[in-house]
Amino acid sequence: MDSTDIQRFNRLYRDCRSWFIRLAETYVEDSCTAEDIVMDSLAYYWENRHLLQHEDHLPAYVLAVIKSKCINHLQRKRTREEAESCLHQRAERELSRRIATMEACNPEKLFADEVQQLIDETLSSLSVQSRDIFIRSKYGNQTNRDIADALKLSVKSVEYHMTKTLKRLRAVLKDYLPLLSCFILMRNLLPFDGLLSIR
């Protein structure tokens, strides 16, 4: 290692470092980043000093390296910010979509539809007579006596079929009963749509 090179580098570092940093800071607008760029540029000069043909142009050479590194830094920053902006916009769109979906959703209707589907499937699995008796009782509002007379059965037989059907339905809907009670309570206390305005 030539002592002349070391002296030349020390002189460049001593005389120009502060000025280089101030100049770099005008580009990147951050003192720490500017200092890092200047130190990298000086290190780059030292590693490539043997390629220089004119020693008098050292400050101009280092300045050109600093400018190039500042531009690279700003380009990377712009690319990163554009990517972050794109991700932010995508996240905003997804959030807006989810909010719109939730606002359009009526959980009470979804719940009722699901319960009704389970009831229909359960009734379909019953015998024809048990299904007929249940429908006459719950949908036709017929009494056990009326059903018994219409189907030429005893009242006890009608009660047996109703008990069997209700037991089957309770087993199928056991996970839904607490939530159903909650919906009924909320409907009595507050219109369901009003929940959306609560903060």
Side-chain angles (χ1 to χ4, degrees):
M1 183 181 298
D2 192 341
S3 61
T4 303
D5 288 341
I6 297 176
Q7 292 174 2
R8 188 179 297 115
F9 179 83
N10 288 340
R11 185 167 57 251
L12 178 68
Y13 183 89
R14 183 186 66 246
D15 296 342
C16 300
R17 175 179 172 274
S18 297
W19 181 72
F20 284 155
I21 291 174
R22 288 197 301 272
L23 184 65
E25 191 173 355
T26 63
Y27 285 107
V28 300
E29 298 181 344
D30 181 80
S31 58
C32 291
T33 302
E35 185 170 359
D36 289 342
I37 288 175
V38 168
M39 298 306 295
D40 286 346
S41 299
L42 289 171
Y44 181 85
Y45 149 69
W46 180 256
E47 293 170 356
N48 297 276
R49 64 190 183 281
H50 59 282
L51 300 176
L52 294 179
Q53 297 179 353
H54 301 287
E55 305 295 344
D56 295 338
H57 296 161
L58 282 183
Y61 174 80
V62 175
L63 180 59
V65 175
I66 290 172
K67 180 179 178 181
S68 177
K69 288 184 176 293
C70 286
I71 292 173
N72 290 339
H73 169 78
L74 293 175
Q75 288 175 337
R76 288 194 300 270
K77 182 179 180 181
R78 181 179 62 186
T79 300
R80 184 173 63 252
E81 289 177 349
E82 288 175 350
E84 290 174 352
S85 176
C86 181
L87 291 174
H88 180 69
Q89 291 175 5
R90 185 181 303 174
E92 281 190 341
R93 288 195 299 270
E94 174 63 16
L95 182 59
S96 296
R97 184 192 66 78
R98 291 171 61 187
I99 291 174
T101 300
M102 291 183 66
E103 288 177 342
C105 173
N106 184 341
E108 186 177 13
K109 183 178 183 304
L110 293 176
F111 175 79
D113 290 345
E114 189 170 347
V115 169
Q116 187 61 53
Q117 182 179 353
L118 288 174
I119 291 174
D120 292 342
E121 291 174 353
T122 302
L123 292 180
S124 297
S125 69
L126 298 175
S127 66
V128 174
Q129 192 170 62
S130 293
R131 181 167 61 252
D132 187 22
I133 290 173
F134 182 83
I135 291 174
R136 285 172 180 271
S137 174
K138 298 304 180 182
Y139 296 101
N141 296 319
Q142 295 182 18
T143 65
N144 289 349
R145 170 57 64 185
D146 292 337
I147 297 172
D149 292 343
L151 299 180
K152 301 185 183 323
L153 297 171
S154 67
V155 173
K156 287 291 185 181
S157 180
V158 171
E159 291 175 349
Y160 166 77
H161 284 285
M162 284 298 298
T163 299
K164 182 177 69 173
T165 300
L166 290 173
K167 183 177 181 180
R168 179 86 64 85
L169 286 172
R170 276 195 294 269
V172 170
L173 299 175
K174 66 180 186 302
D175 295 332
Y176 292 81
L177 295 177
L179 190 56
L180 179 61
S181 300
C182 180
F183 277 132
I184 294 173
L185 178 60
M186 287 191 297
R187 175 177 287 181
N188 291 335
L189 296 177
L190 181 73
F192 193 81
D193 290 342
L195 292 176
L196 296 178
S197 63
I198 294 176
R199 295 293 184 266

